[in-house]
Amino acid sequence: MRIRFSSLSSIYEMSFENLNHHSQKARKDPHADEILYLMKNNEALRVAYVDEVSTGRDETKYYSVLVKNDQQLEREVEIYRVKLPGPLKLGERKPENQNPVIILTRGDAFQTIDMNKDNYFEEALKMRNLLEEYKYHYGIRKPTILGVREHIFTGSVSFLAWFMSVQETSFVTLGQRVLANPLKIRLHYDHPDVFDWFWFLTRGGLSKASKVINISEDIFAGFNCTLHGGNVTHHEYIQAGKGRDVGLNQVSMFEAKVASGNGEQVLSRDVYILGHRLDFFRMLSFFYTTVEFFFNTMMVVVTVYAFLWGATISCSEWC
């Protein structure tokens, strides 16, 4: 069995955020020139966008379009044009960018990559080894999501950046190993993972795009996969580089985003259904890796404050 591979890269996200590439060119938007420049200098690059076509009867049709730059014709040409059932409902940007692009990709597997990620040539050479894992059973099923690790390459900027890099390594590598085996409760936590194209295309797409409730869109792909009987594994054939803004304020904002996303997850029906479907041991593991982690962190912080307050009072009385 030969497995073909596609990549959902950051250029798709950038183009979908601007929605209509043709209207950009009509308005002489600088973004249109920048996208065309990227396509001219990267022959293999494909850009997706949503095209709005007015029929003249107070009706607008929407199409998901994939374009490339033709080196011989020296102009932009269309590859695919797929009609959408309606307008793109503006919710969370990243999952909305991903879902219309999936129908334009070809192959048996695709990889999602954030805009702040980088990749290495030697990692691409090992992709074939990773895709071979789709042939083997892990438990009673073959995998539907192949998890891979990240390498935070901004860790050398400062001591704070190094600390954040170590924290990320603990979560995206060490933690994922344990969650995948033996706990068997790993979901989709970040974007270097490789997905089974046909499996996700027939089960509602990659992510949910509802406003606010799906702010941590990554994990909802894992929820969707687990609830539909999928199998999520973790492998370290390859790693994807990742850069983060490592200022103190940005680190704090990121932690707040993750915590807020977890609070929204608890309110979602996906977690409610999982709570009724998982066995006892997987339920404990799932609980600890979601809301219990933040509850435990809060208890540690409160305990430290209580200890310092008590120590201060005792010291003042003794003195």
Side-chain angles (χ1 to χ4, degrees):
M1 179 180 66
R2 183 183 178 187
I3 295 180
R4 296 169 295 165
F5 171 71
S6 299
S7 176
L8 254 63
S9 62
S10 58
I11 188 63
Y12 293 135
E13 296 187 14
M14 182 177 69
S15 59
F16 264 115
E17 286 180 7
N18 296 296
L19 293 182
N20 198 327
H21 184 45
H22 282 179
S23 65
Q24 284 182 340
K25 291 192 291 186
R27 299 194 311 267
K28 295 184 179 180
D29 193 319
H31 286 102
D33 297 331
E34 293 168 1
I35 293 173
L36 184 60
Y37 175 81
L38 287 172
M39 288 194 293
K40 285 182 178 179
N41 289 273
N42 300 274
E43 186 177 354
L45 186 62
R46 306 291 184 265
V47 175
Y49 65 92
V50 174
D51 190 16
E52 301 177 4
V53 179
S54 178
T55 60
R57 301 176 182 176
D58 296 330
E59 183 183 357
T60 303
K61 294 183 178 180
Y62 300 87
Y63 298 89
S64 184
V65 184
L66 187 70
V67 297
K68 70 173 184 177
N69 182 69
D70 192 301
Q71 300 286 352
Q72 296 180 343
L73 299 177
E74 296 184 349
R75 63 181 177 86
E76 179 187 301
V77 296
E78 284 188 11
I79 306 173
Y80 301 116
R81 174 177 285 264
V82 180
K83 186 178 179 180
L84 300 175
L88 203 64
K89 184 180 179 182
L90 293 178
E92 298 300 328
R93 284 187 173 185
K94 193 184 296 179
E96 278 192 344
N97 296 338
Q98 292 170 343
N99 288 330
V101 171
I102 293 177
I103 58 178
L104 302 174
T105 57
R106 293 297 178 266
D108 300 303
F110 63 90
Q111 183 184 29
T112 55
I113 303 175
D114 274 349
M115 295 181 71
N116 62 341
K117 280 198 172 62
D118 193 6
N119 225 329
Y120 312 102
F121 176 71
E122 62 272 18
E123 303 300 324
L125 299 178
K126 295 181 283 186
M127 182 58 72
R128 181 176 179 179
N129 296 40
L130 176 64
L131 295 178
E132 290 292 312
E133 293 293 336
Y134 278 118
K135 299 180 180 179
Y136 303 102
H137 286 76
Y138 287 87
I140 61 175
R141 297 182 182 91
K142 293 182 179 180
T144 48
I145 297 180
L146 299 176
V148 297
R149 71 183 297 269
E150 290 178 339
H151 167 241
I152 311 299
F153 56 79
T154 52
S156 60
V157 175
S158 64
F159 179 78
L160 180 63
W162 170 83
F163 178 78
M164 188 177 184
S165 174
V166 173
Q167 183 187 34
E168 286 279 313
T169 302
S170 173
F171 175 70
V172 302
T173 303
L174 304 178
Q176 301 307 308
R177 292 175 186 171
V178 178
L179 290 176
N181 186 23
L183 298 183
K184 203 62 182 174
I185 195 59
R186 185 188 188 275
L187 302 171
H188 172 52
Y189 293 99
D190 219 318
H191 278 280
D193 292 0
V194 179
F195 295 80
D196 185 320
W197 182 83
F198 184 77
W199 198 92
F200 277 90
L201 192 68
T202 56
R203 287 164 177 82
L206 177 60
S207 300
K208 297 182 180 180
S210 302
K211 194 68 175 175
V212 180
I213 192 71
N214 301 123
I215 187 172
S216 297
E217 83 292 332
D218 307 345
I219 200 170
F220 282 92
F223 290 160
N224 186 48
C225 177
T226 303
L227 288 172
H228 285 85
N231 191 4
V232 186
T233 59
H234 180 72
H235 309 275
E236 294 186 19
Y237 290 92
I238 67 172
Q239 65 177 5
K242 185 167 187 175
R244 284 197 181 278
D245 188 349
V246 291
L248 182 59
N249 189 45
Q250 186 63 32
V251 172
S252 177
M253 289 175 61
F254 174 74
E255 296 292 340
K257 178 216 169 188
V258 174
S260 301
N262 184 263
E264 299 292 348
Q265 291 167 36
V266 176
L267 299 176
S268 70
R269 81 175 54 168
D270 299 73
V271 173
Y272 175 79
I273 298 173
L274 276 173
H276 285 75
R277 300 292 185 273
L278 294 176
D279 60 76
F280 178 73
F281 296 102
R282 293 181 74 193
M283 189 65 244
L284 288 180
S285 303
F286 177 69
F287 172 66
Y288 183 76
T289 55
T290 51
V291 64
E292 201 280 335
F293 171 78
F294 296 94
F295 181 75
N296 182 61
T297 303
M298 182 191 71
M299 291 299 296
V300 170
V301 172
V302 170
T303 303
V304 170
Y305 273 102
F307 170 76
L308 293 176
W309 179 254
T312 303
I313 295 177
S314 300
C315 182
S316 61
E317 291 179 354
W318 183 78
C319 293

